[in-house]
Amino acid sequence: MSDLFEASGIHPPDAPLADRLRPASLDQVVGQDHLLGEGGPIRRMIEAGRLGSMILWGPPGTGKTTIARLLAKAAGYQYQQISAVFSGVADLKKAFEQARVRRAAGQSTLLFVDEIHRFNRAQQDGFLPFVEEGVVTLVGATTENPSFELNGALLSRSQVFVLKRLDDAALNQLLIRAEAEEGLALPLTHEARQALLALADGDGRYLLTMAETLFALPPEPLDVQALAATLQRRAPAYDKSREEHYNLISALHKSVRGSDPDAALYWLARMLNGGEDPLYLARRIVRMAVEDIGEADPLSLLVANAAKDTYDFLGSPEGELALAQAVVHLATAPKSVGVYEAFKAAKRAAAETGSLMPPAHIRNAPTKLMKSLGYGKGYQYDPDTEEGFSGANFFPDEMERRVFYKPKGEGHEEKVKARLERWAAMRAAKSGTS
């Protein structure tokens, strides 16, 4: 029955508000002007009278399904929809066969595949011949990064269009339409209306679902506190195994690296609110200490490890404060990649030089045979020398001395740099190369 209503453009009387407000034309779609507005790539396709296969990538509730329906309508294509959640190989074969029959009759088919990323790689490959032959124009919808979830071959035959989360202006347009549809105003104060937009988190469908609940209430305006008591706040859109996870940890790491404690705390809170494992965050914080700070502030590594131990001891929510303290310490610490870059250079040198032996004077000599071969001969115990520095060579005899560690002089490294420069001068003097 729902298909009959949709085909006639009439909504059943008990249809949800979000369905009753579904746009009837592309001009009514809100928040996606970069794709559908004047000069937008999808708008240009429609004006040219020919659609290409595409992937619509965006958060929930931003209009992916609606755009697909309206594209078919605008281009005069037969619209056919399947969902990767509920469909299998048999459903795909049936859809392709129906499309082939329509094509023979001169009718083009727009095949909309919702949650296309849920099809496995072999199933995705099954689309290729039908897309290449023009049996179907494929419009896939996904909330996941197509680069990770879709076959390269399928991506090469489709354009990827990114839908934006709906901003407050777009969401407010939906509320105005909802009020016109219902013939009454939402029972909210101005502040509560703004809070409702924030609760929607860019999801137009969720906003209209909440609005439908509010329309059923008595007309007395609700303030922010009453709104919060009436509506259940949903968890933020965050999937620990998907792209959003990597986007947010990247934002946290780069905020620390960029010495912005406020942004770093925000991203830390976002990840914790989304249900991220605090010990995963603790591991990343330790990595920040060794990768971006290093010898500029050696205390940072101790602070990061202490935060991990504190969280282990206290758990949530108390232990999360230790993670926050570590993030602030790292964000406000001087930064240096001296050790990080030095170790990478040393690893490259180690790979290049193979199995060169240490010079004889620093080889261990636990046996008489080894001593007779010169192992340990001439070794100077540096702490016993007059200056506490022997200036001896510790690289293989066949290898020229290299400098890997180059401190820039930030924080603690300022003293380290001066010390290394003094030792370099002493080494040169002792070897007669000065």
Side-chain angles (χ1 to χ4, degrees):
M1 285 296 294
S2 61
D3 289 340
L4 293 177
F5 278 114
E6 289 169 2
S8 63
I10 302 172
H11 297 286
D14 59 347
L17 179 61
D19 280 349
R20 285 184 277 136
L21 289 179
R22 194 181 291 276
S25 71
L26 288 168
D27 291 331
Q28 295 178 3
V29 177
V30 300
Q32 310 302 337
D33 288 348
H34 63 296
L35 299 177
L36 304 174
E38 191 67 31
I42 295 181
R43 172 69 65 180
R44 291 198 302 270
M45 279 189 187
I46 296 167
E47 292 171 349
R50 184 171 180 81
L51 300 181
S53 292
M54 66 186 75
I55 304 297
L56 302 178
W57 171 30
T62 52
K64 296 184 289 294
T65 303
T66 295
I67 289 173
R69 288 181 182 276
L70 296 177
L71 279 175
K73 178 181 177 182
Y77 285 32
Q78 178 68 38
Y79 178 81
Q80 187 166 1
Q81 177 175 343
I82 60 175
S83 170
V85 176
F86 302 111
S87 303
V89 174
D91 301 290
L92 288 174
K93 288 182 177 178
K94 182 178 178 181
F96 293 137
E97 185 56 36
Q98 291 172 341
R100 195 182 291 280
V101 170
R102 291 191 202 101
R103 188 188 187 203
Q107 174 69 61
S108 299
T109 298
L110 185 152
L111 178 63
F112 176 66
V113 183
D114 198 16
E115 303 284 347
I116 191 171
H117 61 275
R118 293 183 181 271
F119 277 130
N120 62 38
R121 301 284 173 166
Q123 289 170 321
Q124 290 178 29
D125 282 340
F127 287 96
L128 299 178
F130 301 97
V131 171
E132 288 177 342
E133 294 173 25
V135 174
V136 298
T137 295
L138 173 67
V139 177
T142 179
T143 56
E144 305 298 338
N145 189 329
S147 301
F148 301 147
E149 303 297 333
L150 300 184
N151 285 0
L154 187 58
L155 286 176
S156 71
R157 291 160 176 81
S158 310
Q159 294 189 64
V160 176
F161 296 122
V162 181
L163 277 71
K164 298 177 180 179
R165 68 187 299 277
L166 302 187
D167 60 18
D168 284 356
L171 292 172
N172 198 48
Q173 285 186 56
L174 294 181
L175 288 186
I176 292 171
R177 292 180 189 175
E179 290 171 324
E181 171 74 16
E182 295 293 321
L184 52 95
L186 283 166
L188 299 173
T189 65
H190 174 74
E191 293 76 13
R193 190 183 184 95
Q194 294 305 117
L196 180 65
L197 299 180
L199 280 172
D201 196 21
D203 186 332
R205 183 171 52 246
Y206 183 58
L207 175 72
L208 294 175
T209 299
M210 292 189 292
E212 191 164 21
T213 299
L214 295 172
F215 281 127
L217 298 177
E220 293 78 13
L222 303 176
D223 60 14
V224 174
Q225 289 74 24
L227 175 68
T230 302
L231 300 175
Q232 179 69 39
R233 174 182 284 274
R234 68 173 179 176
Y238 182 77
D239 188 331
K240 290 184 286 183
S241 66
R242 300 294 184 180
E243 191 210 4
E244 194 67 14
H245 161 85
Y246 298 104
N247 285 340
L248 266 61
I249 193 59
S250 175
L252 171 59
H253 195 148
K254 288 170 183 171
S255 297
V256 169
R257 181 182 292 154
S259 301
D260 190 336
D262 301 307
L265 285 172
Y266 170 76
W267 294 117
L268 175 69
R270 278 281 301 274
M271 296 191 79
L272 289 170
N273 287 350
E276 185 58 76
D277 179 4
L279 288 177
Y280 167 79
L281 291 167
R283 290 192 294 272
R284 290 297 300 235
I285 290 168
V286 171
R287 176 183 170 183
M288 296 172 203
V290 297
E291 181 176 318
D292 298 309
I293 297 170
E295 278 297 283
D297 178 28
L299 182 61
S300 289
L301 180 55
L302 301 179
V303 169
N305 268 308
K308 181 264 296 180
D309 291 341
T310 301
Y311 183 82
D312 267 341
F313 185 59
L314 294 179
S316 291
E318 294 86 350
E320 294 170 7
L321 184 58
L323 302 181
Q325 180 179 343
V327 161
V328 170
H329 182 96
L330 268 59
T332 55
K335 307 298 187 295
S336 172
V337 292
V339 174
Y340 178 68
E341 293 295 338
F343 186 52
K344 288 200 299 183
K347 287 172 68 177
R348 287 195 298 270
E352 292 166 3
T353 55
S355 55
L356 296 179
M357 292 293 291
H361 71 97
I362 61 170
R363 297 183 200 174
N364 193 28
T367 68
K368 289 182 179 180
L369 173 61
M370 290 177 174
K371 288 180 181 178
S372 69
L373 293 174
Y375 285 25
K377 184 177 182 180
Y379 172 67
Q380 300 178 70
Y381 184 64
D382 286 69
D384 278 349
T385 62
E386 182 178 349
E387 297 164 313
F389 178 78
S390 67
N393 175 51
F394 297 101
F395 279 93
D397 293 331
E398 302 90 342
M399 180 180 173
E400 291 186 4
R401 178 174 183 80
R402 298 191 193 179
V403 177
F404 301 127
Y405 179 46
K406 301 174 183 178
K408 293 182 179 179
E410 283 292 316
H412 173 75
E413 276 195 330
E414 182 178 1
K415 295 179 179 178
V416 174
K417 182 180 181 182
R419 195 178 302 132
L420 288 174
E421 289 173 348
R422 178 167 57 88
W423 285 339
M426 293 171 64
R427 184 180 294 110
K430 290 176 181 291
S431 64
T433 60
S434 59

